[in-house]
Amino acid sequence: QLQLVESGGGLVQPGGSLRLSCAASGFTLDYYAIGWFRQAPGKEREGVSCIGSSGGSTDYAKGYANSVKGRFTISRDNAKNTVYLQMTSLKPEDTGVYYCAAQKYYYCSGPVIWKDYWGQGTQVTVSS
């Protein structure tokens, strides 16, 4: 199997924290950027964050949507073939299904079509 699997979603109160994981199976993430996206019912899919590929470097390009900047942190552990999204100070408007996607040889700058791999998503609900 070649796939991405998201995990770590759940129900959390406003102001709480969650850490999402995006784990690759059947391939290695070293040469892939990973993007996090989210979608609420009836709304368009929204880009949340991106971490670039490196091929061996530990200095990765990173980007965040303005709506999450300062609250979310993206990181990667290539040895575990996993990318993380640490979410803090969560708000009800952060609610949605969170997806990760992989794109080879991308550095989170400029336009790109995320077509290589997509996960199935994990639900995040922020509610009191």
Side-chain angles (χ1 to χ4, degrees):
Q1 286 183 319
L2 302 177
Q3 62 180 2
L4 294 175
V5 178
E6 303 94 337
S7 63
L11 175 64
V12 64
Q13 296 183 25
S17 300
L18 286 172
R19 189 177 77 161
L20 306 183
S21 297
C22 175
S25 298
F27 71 102
T28 59
L29 288 176
D30 300 47
Y31 298 97
Y32 292 82
I34 294 292
W36 282 99
F37 303 82
R38 66 187 182 189
Q39 188 169 25
K43 295 186 177 181
E44 295 181 350
R45 182 177 291 166
E46 173 190 22
V48 176
S49 186
C50 183
I51 186 164
S53 61
S54 68
S57 173
T58 58
D59 187 12
Y60 307 105
K62 298 177 182 179
Y64 301 92
N66 288 336
S67 59
V68 306
K69 193 172 297 182
R71 299 188 297 118
F72 291 10
T73 302
I74 192 168
S75 62
R76 69 190 299 154
D77 186 343
N78 285 345
K80 297 181 66 176
N81 288 316
T82 301
V83 169
Y84 304 98
L85 185 68
Q86 180 67 52
M87 307 185 296
T88 63
S89 301
L90 284 163
K91 305 174 181 179
E93 50 263 45
D94 295 318
T95 294
V97 178
Y98 282 68
Y99 302 89
C100 63
Q103 184 63 41
K104 198 171 186 179
Y105 302 132
Y106 182 55
Y107 301 94
C108 302
S109 179
V112 69
I113 303 297
W114 294 84
K115 63 181 178 64
D116 286 343
Y117 297 99
W118 280 86
Q120 296 300 306
T122 185
Q123 177 70 45
V124 172
T125 303
V126 184
S127 177
S128 60

